[in-house]
Amino acid sequence: MTGVRVVQQYERGVVFRLGRVRGQVREPGLTLLVPVIDRMRKVNVQVVTMPVPAQEGITKDNVSVSVDAVLYFRVVEPIRATVDVQNYSFAMLQVAQTSLRSIIGKSELDDLLSGREHLHQGLEVMLESPAAGWGVHIDRVEIKDVSLPDSMKRSMARQAEADRERRARIITADGEFQAAAKLAEAAGKMAETPAALQLRMLQTVVEVAAEKNSTLVLPFPVEMLRFFEASAARLTDGPAAPAAPPQATATPAVPSQAPAAPVEES
């Protein structure tokens, strides 16, 4: 009975007989060992979630940051994880820390804040090489948090504020340009029909009067004054009188006189 062992479903058994490892790994279930001669070491093959402590470094664009990450790995070769490395969990933690520092020095601040996908891939590639020799498979590695100095946070806040103000000014100018185009089009329509300007002014009066203000300032357009001036001129001149038909005038007859006879003197 001293040689009976039970291996759990999430474990694998590595058997040492007189100090030499057996080539076959014991699968989950009941297994028998030779008493005194055999020794079995159980290896957990579940996925291990290992937090990587925050590492301080200077980015490629000379910004001091503190970055922490999380590592997910599992043992795929129990014999190598038991024989080739003394403590594979501690070894993976140290490799993750050094790789994280290296990736900080090769990256810029914008990549750490927004473009993390290729950084995760780079970290995974850097960890795969030593992990494969220890019988460990890297499932994934991710950057969890990036801490910045307070001065850098204030600078980034000012930059974001300036960028938003620039965008707001551009949007306002674009709106003014579109409004000016529409106003020019409306002015052209009103120029074709002068009465439309008066109707628009009356509508503005109605809108302002709806607020029940005690004082109403109403601009009077010059075009309307010209319209009233032209109307008054037409009323003053009036319609032109019809011309009288021509009448024949009688010329009085002048009696014809005979030429006087010459008087002879004696």
Side-chain angles (χ1 to χ4, degrees):
M1 295 298 294
T2 58
V4 178
R5 297 289 187 274
V6 175
V7 180
Q8 302 294 333
Q9 182 65 38
Y10 55 85
E11 295 176 338
R12 298 296 183 268
V14 179
V15 178
F16 294 87
R17 176 168 294 178
L18 296 177
R20 292 179 177 273
V21 64
R22 303 286 294 175
Q24 185 178 3
V25 177
R26 302 299 173 90
E27 297 295 330
L30 187 66
T31 183
L32 297 177
L33 302 178
V34 178
V36 182
I37 297 178
D38 290 344
R39 294 288 184 270
M40 185 175 67
R41 183 175 177 180
K42 298 179 181 179
V43 180
N44 194 327
V45 294
Q46 290 177 310
V47 176
V48 179
T49 304
M50 177 181 293
V52 181
Q55 303 297 313
E56 295 183 357
I58 299 177
T59 61
K60 191 175 180 180
D61 49 353
N62 299 325
V63 179
S64 299
V65 295
S66 177
V67 183
D68 59 351
V70 59
L71 175 64
Y72 303 89
F73 66 92
R74 57 188 176 90
V75 176
V76 294
E77 298 182 21
I79 296 178
R80 302 189 69 173
T82 305
V83 177
D84 294 349
V85 61
Q86 183 178 7
N87 187 344
Y88 64 88
S89 297
F90 182 74
M92 291 302 303
L93 178 60
Q94 297 302 314
V95 172
Q97 291 181 8
T98 55
S99 300
L100 184 58
R101 290 181 182 178
S102 177
I103 206 70
I104 290 174
K106 296 178 181 179
S107 306
E108 296 184 355
L109 181 60
D110 293 339
D111 297 334
L112 291 175
L113 296 177
S114 58
R116 297 184 180 181
E117 293 298 330
H118 67 280
L119 296 182
H120 297 165
Q121 297 177 1
L123 279 173
E124 186 173 350
V125 170
M126 295 176 67
L127 293 173
E128 279 287 351
S129 179
W134 300 334
V136 177
H137 174 70
I138 305 297
D139 284 346
R140 60 188 305 178
V141 56
E142 295 180 352
I143 295 175
K144 187 166 59 174
D145 188 22
V146 178
S147 300
L148 299 174
D150 294 337
S151 59
M152 180 58 62
K153 291 181 181 179
R154 289 192 294 268
S155 300
M156 294 177 65
R158 289 195 299 268
Q159 179 184 359
E161 183 179 358
D163 183 67
R164 288 185 177 274
E165 185 177 357
R166 176 184 62 84
R167 291 164 56 187
R169 290 182 178 180
I170 292 176
I171 293 174
T172 303
D174 190 16
E176 293 291 341
F177 176 78
Q178 296 180 6
K182 293 297 181 181
L183 287 176
E185 184 179 355
K189 294 293 183 181
M190 289 183 180
E192 298 176 359
T193 308
L197 182 61
Q198 184 178 2
L199 294 176
R200 180 58 183 156
M201 186 188 68
L202 295 176
Q203 184 180 1
T204 304
V205 172
V206 172
E207 293 176 357
V208 174
E211 299 181 2
K212 303 184 185 313
N213 293 329
S214 58
T215 304
L216 178 62
V217 179
L218 180 64
F220 204 81
V222 180
E223 288 78 3
M224 187 168 292
L225 291 176
R226 294 177 180 174
F227 174 75
F228 289 154
E229 183 180 356
S231 299
R234 287 196 299 268
L235 292 176
T236 302
D237 295 343
Q247 295 182 358
T249 57
T251 304
V254 179
S256 58
Q257 296 180 0
V263 179
E264 294 180 358
E265 295 180 358
S266 57

